[in-house]
Amino acid sequence: MSQVMACIDASLSAAAVSDYAAWASLRLQAPLTLLHVLDHQQYPQHNDFTGIIGLGNREQLLRELAELDLQRNRLALEQGRLVLQAAKERVARQGVGAPSLRQRHGDLAQTLHELEGEIDLLVIGHRGEAGDSSGRLLGSHLASVIRTLHRPILVCPEHFQAPRNLLLAFDGSPSCRQGVELLAASPLCRGLPVHVLMVGSDSDEARSQLQWAEQQLQGDQPVHLALRAGEVAATLHAYQREQAIDLLVMGAYGHSRLHQFLVGSTTTQLLRASSGPVLILR
């Protein structure tokens, strides 16, 4: 990992996203880019009202509506600029030097897909601006980003706490093994105690897979192995509460029950149930 990008908006999560992005940037010793995307569905660049209103003696109304639309877009862009500036000042106070600021207009997932080559870690909030008033998570936008972006994604809650330990949900699948290797090679969580939890029946194969993960992760941090039966989501969160785990680490795709747990609507269920940050490895 060499480049951290954080999605900044006017939501209640913005401060925590800035803090987690600063934490990641400093841990990785990587440059930080703060990105604000103006949703094209909420703030279209051009509106054509002629099909609804018609022409002729209604041209003045059309001009006024177009002007209102332009003014609304200008105000939204200015708000985004101010939000980015506040985030820049916040991360600078934490020791991040010269973060880059970028502002784009379009769909969030599509924008991140276009910028994927510049991203090694994405930091994004649980909730977006629309989610704050409704009490819902970012939902389809967040799920779309997770499906679209083939980069590690750190999903943040509304309050920052520097991770002191982490729980890795492990299922032994090839993609999950790649995630273990990625985690072992990255300085992001180096030195933090790692708990590796496998949810399933106790077997020689399962224990062998856990031992493989332990060998990959062994370094200057302790590694704790656990094998538990039960429903995946409930077991993961019960273990997280029991061990006071700060950071949950999971793969976005697999070929076991974790696959069913993470893909589609269950992604939102995972994030809703998690009170702390979730690092999704791709």
Side-chain angles (χ1 to χ4, degrees):
M1 295 179 183
S2 60
Q3 170 86 5
V4 178
M5 184 170 290
C7 293
I8 304 296
D9 57 18
S11 70
L12 296 177
S13 300
V17 170
S18 300
D19 292 342
Y20 277 107
W23 171 81
S25 175
L26 294 172
R27 294 277 301 186
L28 295 170
Q29 296 185 340
L32 173 60
T33 295
L34 304 172
L35 172 70
H36 176 261
V37 177
L38 199 62
D39 191 337
H40 70 85
Q41 293 182 350
Q42 187 175 5
Y43 300 100
Q45 288 180 300
H46 301 287
N47 272 342
D48 183 1
F49 300 100
T50 57
I52 301 173
I53 300 174
L55 297 172
N57 57 6
R58 302 180 183 179
E59 290 182 358
Q60 178 60 31
L61 178 57
L62 287 171
R63 285 194 294 269
E64 292 177 2
L65 287 171
E67 179 58 34
L68 285 173
D69 187 58
L70 288 173
Q71 183 178 7
R72 183 166 170 261
N73 276 273
R74 284 196 296 266
L75 290 173
L77 286 169
E78 178 62 15
Q79 181 193 45
R81 189 190 68 79
L82 294 174
V83 166
L84 283 175
Q85 185 60 36
K88 178 180 180 179
E89 294 170 1
R90 189 178 184 94
V91 300
R93 290 195 295 269
Q94 298 178 54
V96 177
S100 301
L101 305 183
R102 299 186 70 169
Q103 196 168 27
R104 296 284 292 268
H105 191 290
D107 176 76
L108 176 61
Q110 180 60 35
T111 298
L112 292 172
H113 177 68
E114 294 169 0
L115 298 174
E116 185 168 349
E118 306 175 32
I119 302 172
D120 288 284
L121 173 67
L122 178 73
V123 184
I124 189 171
H126 274 187
R127 303 174 185 265
E129 295 175 26
D132 291 331
S133 59
S134 64
R136 295 189 298 270
L137 294 174
L138 192 59
S140 60
H141 282 180
L142 182 54
S144 179
V145 168
I146 293 171
R147 288 193 299 266
T148 301
L149 196 67
H150 293 80
R151 294 290 187 270
I153 303 172
L154 180 59
V155 185
C156 309
E158 292 181 3
H159 302 286
F160 172 75
Q161 178 177 306
R164 298 162 296 183
N165 53 24
L166 64 97
L167 169 60
L168 173 63
F170 182 69
D171 65 4
S173 67
S175 60
C176 198
R177 283 174 172 254
Q178 290 175 3
V180 170
E181 293 170 346
L182 176 64
L183 188 65
S186 171
L188 181 66
C189 299
R190 190 166 296 159
L192 302 180
V194 181
H195 294 252
V196 183
L197 174 60
M198 195 168 192
V199 181
S201 58
D202 193 342
S203 67
D204 291 341
E205 181 182 1
R207 292 191 175 276
S208 176
Q209 291 174 340
L210 281 172
Q211 289 171 359
W212 176 87
E214 182 182 31
Q215 292 172 358
Q216 299 301 311
L217 294 168
Q218 277 182 338
D220 58 352
Q221 74 268 24
V223 180
H224 308 279
L225 305 180
L227 178 60
R228 295 191 177 183
E231 194 274 326
V232 174
T235 304
L236 286 172
H237 292 302
Y239 187 93
Q240 187 174 10
R241 291 190 299 269
E242 173 189 313
Q243 301 295 328
I245 301 294
D246 295 323
L247 175 63
L248 176 62
V249 182
M250 305 189 76
Y253 298 98
H255 299 285
S256 67
R257 287 189 296 167
L258 281 176
H259 172 80
Q260 299 299 324
F261 179 53
L262 280 170
V263 176
S265 62
T266 50
T267 301
T268 302
Q269 296 173 12
L270 162 67
L271 296 171
R272 182 180 294 115
S274 299
S275 58
V278 178
L279 177 61
I280 299 176
L281 301 178
R282 296 298 310 275

